[in-house]
Amino acid sequence: MKIHKRYISALVALLFAVPVMAQVPAPAAKQSKPMLFKGATLHIGNGQVIENAAVGFDKGKITYAGPQSGANLSGYEVIDVTGQHIYPGLIQPNATLGLNEVESVRATIDWREVGEMNPNVRSVIAYNTDSDIIPTVRANGVLMTQLTPVGGTISGSSSIVQLDAWNWEDAIVKADEGIHLNWPSMLIETGNSRNDERLKRMGEEREKTMLEMEKLFRDAAVYKSGKQSNENLKLSSMVGLFDGSKKLYIHANYGKELIEGINFAKKQGVKDIVVVGARDAVAVVDFLKANNVAVIYSGVHALPSRAEEDVDMPYKTPYLLHKAGVPFALDYDLAIHGIRNLPFIAGTAAAYGLDKEQALAAVSLNTAKILGVDKQVGSVEVGKDATLVVSTGDLLDMRTNNVTYAFIQGRNVDLNNKQKYLYEKFENKYKAQQQQVPASATSAAGN
């Protein structure tokens, strides 16, 4: 059978082109010269907006952020972005990005350890900087994440990383900043006698878990005092909980579980508590405020928890938390492929009560404060890392979000990704097919 040379050439080109184009872009080189963007609307991240602004940065740090009229352009490479918007890079908390690639392929999943009590597990050492998903997230303005282990009762420690690095060591912004505790679910009696025995067994198991957890915290407190001479990795990893150098992230949703978990942590002497998930946060908002507990809210695009709740409750919970004065941030739960939609859940919150700049803060500066990295990132201010994005439209609106530049620590990040490549590939394919349709066929179809 004869094969036309044209098809052989096309096949060879495809074999060479696909692997190259589908690769994760290489990390950007360090900033080599001062840069300044002028003419944009600047959304600082702290609620302030400056029209016709300028942002300059050098050696990875912001040197100027304010009105264009006050900027010194001398020595800077000036880029005119008139009509566009400058935002701080968005931060996704509570994520397994880089720890989980393809859920149906076990070898690509590295987000949990065997066992129930693993405070010494470090999620960051399993971080895969070559994940295909990371570039798709950056393209929508999400430039940092909190690597969070899952599973068991105490999953391990999380770390904050930036999303443009050769390896996990280069990616670290703040290592091992908190321990994650999945609060044991409370049992609800159903009145069904067939479930009595099962509920009894579950209750006994929960009681056992609570006792083990209490013992571990008590032992860690003793270990901190220096009364144990032998090194214990599990206990040493928890020492920071008692002096405030580490946070305790309690994952729970039900209101009574939130109260129970916070009371437990305070009883053990934990200094800094954050609740994650917190679907019932509004129901216990006074308790959260009284105990100075921050919230990482995961349910903006979820259904209401109960049939009798307002269908809009998940959308307006961020506004209600803000109104009550509870520190909060938003996350896209653990669905890694959805993290690119982080700006749009903030946009939903803005449509249901939050001011647009408050919504932006909920995925930037508020998150940075809760995670303890606000001195470095979270807002476009002088002295902070030049981790920012430029968009032709509103970053929080799915219709207008179009990131044209992204910088991480002053490095110009490549915004190409596998999804863009596939989009362009098939767009070109169908355009070519349309051009090949004879004019007679088009007119016949019209008739």
Side-chain angles (χ1 to χ4, degrees):
M1 183 177 71
K2 289 186 176 181
I3 301 176
H4 200 285
K5 290 182 179 180
R6 183 180 61 181
Y7 295 117
I8 295 176
S9 301
L11 179 60
V12 171
L14 184 64
L15 289 174
F16 280 95
V18 171
V20 173
M21 293 302 295
Q23 290 295 318
V24 174
K30 286 186 178 180
Q31 184 180 4
S32 59
K33 53 187 175 182
M35 299 186 71
L36 185 138
F37 286 81
K38 69 172 187 175
T41 299
L42 171 60
H43 304 261
I44 293 177
N46 60 5
Q48 291 181 275
V49 179
I50 301 175
E51 301 288 345
N52 195 25
V55 175
F57 48 95
D58 186 22
K59 298 177 182 177
K61 296 291 183 180
I62 297 173
T63 55
Y64 181 80
Q68 181 179 320
S69 58
N72 178 9
L73 308 184
S74 177
Y76 284 86
E77 177 187 352
V78 180
I79 299 174
D80 192 338
V81 287
T82 300
Q84 298 193 47
H85 300 258
I86 299 176
Y87 297 88
L90 307 187
I91 308 170
Q92 162 71 25
N94 183 36
T96 58
L97 183 64
L99 306 179
N100 175 26
E101 192 73 5
V102 182
E103 292 190 12
S104 60
V105 181
R106 178 63 186 88
T108 71
I109 302 174
D110 203 3
W111 60 15
R112 68 172 295 163
E113 189 55 83
V114 175
E116 290 296 313
M117 305 289 177
N118 297 304
N120 54 307
V121 168
R122 304 180 66 213
S123 61
V124 71
I125 63 174
Y127 178 51
N128 173 26
T129 54
D130 290 324
S131 167
D132 277 332
I133 303 170
I134 291 173
T136 69
V137 167
R138 296 190 309 224
N140 275 5
V142 182
L143 304 183
M144 294 178 59
T145 190
Q146 179 193 36
L147 298 176
T148 304
V150 300
T153 301
I154 299 180
S155 305
S157 66
S158 57
S159 294
I160 315 303
V161 296
Q162 48 87 4
L163 300 181
D164 186 55
W166 286 106
N167 51 57
W168 66 265
E169 294 95 338
D170 293 343
I172 288 176
V173 174
K174 188 173 184 180
D176 306 320
E177 43 78 37
I179 301 290
H180 290 259
L181 167 60
N182 298 303
W183 192 253
S185 298
M186 284 186 165
L187 305 176
I188 302 174
E189 296 184 11
T190 62
N192 187 339
S193 59
R194 290 180 298 178
N195 291 330
D196 287 350
E197 188 61 33
R198 186 174 68 89
L199 285 173
K200 181 181 178 182
R201 289 197 305 270
M202 291 173 65
E204 291 171 351
E205 189 63 31
R206 186 177 193 270
E207 184 65 25
K208 178 183 175 183
T209 299
M210 296 287 286
L211 291 173
E212 290 176 354
M213 192 164 55
E214 188 172 353
K215 181 180 185 303
L216 182 61
F217 274 82
R218 188 169 59 247
D219 289 348
V222 172
Y223 186 89
K224 178 183 180 296
S225 67
K227 294 180 181 179
Q228 290 188 3
S229 56
N230 296 329
E231 183 178 6
N232 186 306
L233 293 178
K234 283 194 174 185
L235 301 182
S236 63
S237 66
M238 297 177 66
V239 166
L241 297 176
F242 306 108
D243 61 18
S245 60
K246 279 191 177 183
K247 299 177 187 291
L248 179 64
Y249 296 93
I250 302 176
H251 295 248
N253 284 304
Y254 184 41
K256 289 184 178 180
E257 291 172 357
L258 293 171
I259 293 174
E260 187 182 36
I262 292 166
N263 283 336
F264 170 87
K266 294 184 76 69
K267 181 181 177 182
Q268 304 306 319
V270 176
K271 299 295 184 185
D272 198 343
I273 304 167
V274 179
V275 293
V276 184
R279 299 288 176 85
D280 276 358
V282 172
V284 294
V285 70
D286 292 336
F287 179 81
L288 295 172
K289 188 175 181 180
N291 287 277
N292 194 31
V293 174
V295 173
I296 295 177
Y297 182 65
S298 303
V300 174
H301 281 180
L303 292 171
S305 301
R306 300 171 183 83
E308 66 273 13
E309 283 186 348
D310 183 350
V311 70
D312 294 337
M313 184 52 118
Y315 307 147
K316 61 187 181 185
T317 290
Y319 166 70
L320 296 174
L321 291 173
H322 172 76
K323 185 178 178 182
V326 174
F328 76 96
L330 302 179
D331 85 86
Y332 206 86
D333 211 342
L334 292 168
I336 53 172
H337 294 87
I339 292 174
R340 63 180 180 271
N341 294 322
L342 179 67
F344 310 139
I345 65 169
T348 299
Y352 283 82
L354 280 185
D355 175 88
K356 261 290 175 66
E357 300 309 311
Q358 294 166 352
L360 172 63
V363 289
S364 56
L365 186 56
N366 287 8
T367 312
K369 287 179 178 178
I370 291 173
L371 301 183
V373 292
D374 55 301
K375 298 289 190 237
Q376 299 161 264
V377 293
S379 58
V380 185
E381 297 180 89
V382 173
K384 290 191 176 184
D385 289 351
T387 298
L388 52 89
V389 295
V390 182
S391 173
T392 57
D394 184 349
L395 193 69
L396 308 188
D397 191 330
M398 186 178 291
R399 299 165 300 178
T400 59
N401 175 302
N402 179 37
V403 175
T404 53
Y405 294 94
F407 290 87
I408 295 179
Q409 296 168 344
R411 294 176 288 109
N412 192 355
V413 175
D414 190 335
L415 293 174
N416 288 314
N417 60 65
K418 188 174 182 179
Q419 292 176 353
K420 284 185 177 180
Y421 162 69
L422 291 174
Y423 173 82
E424 291 170 2
K425 172 184 174 180
F426 288 102
E427 182 185 40
N428 291 335
K429 172 188 175 182
Y430 293 117
K431 279 183 178 178
Q433 287 179 348
Q434 287 176 346
Q435 291 171 359
Q436 292 172 2
V437 175
S440 59
T442 306
S443 59
N447 294 331

